[in-house]
Amino acid sequence: MFMGEFEHSIDAKGRLIIPAKFREQLGDHFVVTRGMDGCLFGYPLSEWALLQDKLKALPLNHKDARAFVRFFYSAATECEVDKQGRINLPKPLCEHAALTKQCVIVGVANRFEIWSAERWTAFATTAEENFDDIAEKIDF
């Protein structure tokens, strides 16, 4: 399970350190793709396989399903961790998430998310202000 919040910098070559706690769960290879809310989603290969099964089950005759699957898969990349614990993020992914320097890596149960520090701060501030209201609307 991925949890916690970690701050790291992305370098000029698009390399980002993945937290050691996450690397233990991810192994040497995992998938990163466009996420929602302007961030990136990262999945262990086992979770990626489960997600693929769900995406394959989406109805091909629904325009929104086709659009989602295309957009989600088109930027997906298998990442390999180097000896310093870094991955290389392709330019389209960096652009999608507005990653330039400071990043926040957040654990979210079965995946992790990579945010620009600015976007994460804005999201977290709003979520914190509305946390009680959000919790009341969710039936869990």
Side-chain angles (χ1 to χ4, degrees):
M1 175 183 292
F2 297 97
M3 57 185 174
E5 180 179 321
F6 305 87
E7 293 184 22
H8 289 283
S9 297
I10 191 167
D11 69 16
K13 294 181 181 179
R15 295 177 299 193
L16 176 67
I17 294 173
I18 299 299
K21 287 184 177 184
F22 290 2
R23 291 194 311 263
E24 293 170 5
Q25 299 173 67
L26 291 166
D28 292 337
H29 292 86
F30 53 90
V31 175
V32 176
T33 191
R34 291 180 184 114
M36 291 172 242
D37 302 316
C39 71
L40 303 179
F41 288 175
Y43 295 95
L45 294 180
S46 59
E47 285 292 329
W48 182 250
L50 295 173
L51 182 59
Q52 284 182 310
D53 291 340
K54 291 179 181 180
L55 293 174
K56 287 178 193 175
L58 291 175
L60 188 59
N61 61 327
H62 287 186
K63 185 177 182 178
D64 287 343
R66 291 191 311 271
F68 179 84
V69 171
R70 283 183 191 128
F71 192 71
F72 194 71
Y73 274 101
S74 65
T77 187
E78 188 171 332
C79 294
E80 184 175 354
V81 180
D82 69 13
K83 292 178 183 178
Q84 287 78 36
R86 302 172 302 189
I87 60 169
N88 191 16
L89 292 171
K91 187 175 179 179
L93 289 178
C94 290
E95 289 173 353
H96 171 77
L99 303 177
T100 55
K101 188 68 177 162
Q102 292 304 116
C103 300
V104 179
I105 303 162
V106 181
V108 187
N110 67 333
R111 72 173 188 273
F112 65 94
E113 298 177 348
I114 303 171
W115 291 77
S116 74
E118 297 83 15
R119 284 186 179 177
W120 174 252
T121 299
F123 170 80
T125 299
T126 301
E128 184 174 18
E129 290 170 356
N130 299 304
F131 188 73
D132 291 341
D133 293 335
I134 293 168
E136 284 183 19
K137 293 176 186 174
I138 299 173
D139 185 25
F140 65 97

